[in-house]
Amino acid sequence: MSEYDAIEKLLSPSSIAVVGASHNVQKHGGRLIQHLLKHQYQGEIFPVNPKGGEIQGLTCYKTIEDIPVTPDLACLLIGPSLLMEALKSCSAKKIKMVMIHASGFAETGNCGEILQKQIVEFAREHDIRICGPNTIGIANVNKRVFASFSMAMTTNYIPMNGKISYITQSGAIGGAMLSQGWEKQIGISKWISSGNEADLNASDYLHYAVDDSSTGTICLFLEGLDQGESFKAALTKAANVKKPVIIYKNGRSQIGQKSVKSHTGVLAGNHEVYKAVFKQLGAINAEDLDDLFDYAIAFDYPNKPKSSRIGIISTSGGACTIVTDQCSKYGLSVPDLSSKSIQTLTEISPEFSTPQNPFDTTAQILNDPESLKKSVEVFIEDGNIDALVLMLTTVGGSLASKAAEDIIEISKKTDKPIYVAWTIAESLAREGMNQLRRAKIPLYPSAERAVKSLAAVQQHTVFLEEWEEKKEVYNHFFFANPQKEILNR
């Protein structure tokens, strides 16, 4: 079975066998079933446990062979010593896609590496594809497939119809970030914990995500690679279709690289080499873990900057300076406003304000809530400005909702992006912030994160313009060279 077809079965199974099923939702085999049921998985679930009977309201089968149909996916939540027998049963049942959740393989040293190799050899002999081992699962939000024991799946609210796909080589970090993303109403389409990647690997998942029509932006938590050429081919393909790939590369120090080997069994590699490849092929390098989703929010926003010319508005003079400094730090320009804009700002602003870019609305916004909207409209209409960073400080309560409504209304009428840095405690402006999130207006808790994200999008736009001139060379190397194994995909 091809990598694409295998991942399709993994993410969109019509039926799932849960081997190692349990009544106890504190155990992995119980929690995974609980998550499938909680989020209304539409396919059939077949718990497997030697005790048989019933588990969480579902008929439980004593063996895999007892299941009345052939499931699309088998989740193996059993110890390493039981895995080979389970794989033999999967083969007898003609199950072609399995997810191995157990740890204790290549990440543990020689004995684990030998066991992992034996499992892979058996799987290949019997045309079985593997996600894992050492994976905490997957989620396909739009199809309500939550085959994971991650605590992230216990959340009650998950945004539907998201366009961001997230591939992670660290299950725990991946699950933690996923939960934060959902809490901030970030729409995730697909989430994959790849584990040790004994068979299917990060490059395979990246190829799939680039081809996936329901994925608009790809996030990748990367620790190491064994399939470098395939990975570069996937980045080339992403650049061709203008699909952003945002990567946080772990294991940057020598000690960190040893740590990677100890828990995933992969080699981390030289970080500077990875960064050079990312830059060459247009992947967006996330320097900090926060960048991964910060950038994804920005790329998920339909309005993109046409240049680096940024307008700045804040409810604080000090905040104006902060944003201006951040623009300088990340290579964005802060141009003068047109004479027409200055004249209009003079007319609508209090006498003690200074009509310029950056523009301080002053505390007048508290007395005249419309003044913020009017100022934003002036900047958006200015021909010298191609994007706007709006830094709100102590704007809360009903004024927060009013500000959010105005920002959303203006954003719908322009193709110029508006990024919002909102620094007040979320508890004081929660509804306004959630309004922006639902409208996919990029929202950040600090000026630096807002500006940094805007700069990432602007720089990627420049890359795509330059890519048109050099993509034929890369396409020939990766897709027209018969010596390359990746061409067999």
Side-chain angles (χ1 to χ4, degrees), residues 52 54 93 110 208 253 255 262 312 366 372 414-415 456 468:
E54 187 178 280
K93 198 64 183 177
N110 290 338
Y208 179 91
S253 64
I255 295 176
S262 71
I312 300 168
L366 300 175
L372 178 65
T414 181
D415 60 356
E468 291 300 314

Side-chain angles (χ1 to χ4, degrees), residues 106-125:
E107 79 280 5
T108 62
N110 290 338
C111 291
E113 288 178 358
I114 292 171
L115 180 56
Q116 183 167 305
K117 184 178 179 181
Q118 290 172 345
I119 286 172
V120 171
E121 287 176 352
F122 178 88
R124 286 176 178 167
E125 288 174 6

